[in-house]
Amino acid sequence: MRFAPTPRNVVEARRGARCLLRSWAVSADARDVVELVVSEPATNAIRHGRVPGRHFEVAMTYDGEKTVDVEVSDASPRRPVLSAPDPEATSGRGLLLVAALAETWEVRERCVGKTVWARVVV
């Protein structure tokens, strides 16, 4: 799925993920987890990875048994940083959530930009 980098499209990315997960008959609890794993890097793509005239992309694959792979890509070469935000901060926890919810995750280089990839056990 490809989206313009606007805040409302985080909702659309989650909605698209939910629809696809339902079609794969993934449980409701697992759908909630995967939706969070989609929305956090999608939000980062909009806030920190926006490049004028470029979209961000969300791709998901399911092995049919136990794992969903999520990829969120943007055109910015700026790599996300896993950090410990101040307890009073109202943002900065997205990658911490991804790290906590995913079995594994990483940032992958692309010819243009990067991809945040995560594997979620469903």
Side-chain angles (χ1 to χ4, degrees):
M1 301 173 279
R2 178 178 280 174
F3 301 95
T6 62
R8 73 181 175 99
N9 281 332
V10 173
V11 174
E12 293 303 317
R14 285 179 66 120
R15 186 174 291 136
R18 184 180 321 119
C19 182
L20 187 56
L21 292 162
R22 279 188 186 140
S23 76
W24 290 335
V26 171
S27 73
D29 288 343
R31 284 194 309 259
D32 291 344
V33 170
V34 174
E35 284 181 48
L36 274 173
V37 171
V38 167
S39 68
E40 293 304 329
T43 299
N44 285 348
I46 291 166
R47 287 186 179 164
H48 309 292
R50 181 185 297 210
V51 173
R54 303 299 293 258
H55 291 82
F56 75 94
E57 299 172 358
V58 177
M60 295 182 358
T61 56
Y62 178 44
D63 70 359
E65 295 178 19
K66 65 177 186 168
T67 62
V68 172
D69 287 356
V70 173
E71 295 181 346
V72 179
S73 304
D74 64 56
S76 173
R78 198 169 139 199
R79 295 176 63 90
V81 176
L82 185 63
S83 62
D86 181 282
E88 300 299 316
T90 59
S91 64
R93 293 174 181 80
L95 287 179
L96 290 172
L97 283 170
V98 171
L101 296 171
E103 177 182 359
T104 187
W105 74 281
E106 66 185 18
V107 179
R108 297 177 174 172
E109 301 274 335
R110 292 176 34 151
C111 291
V112 175
K114 79 237 172 237
T115 297
V116 176
W117 170 87
R119 174 164 287 153
V120 179
V121 175
V122 297

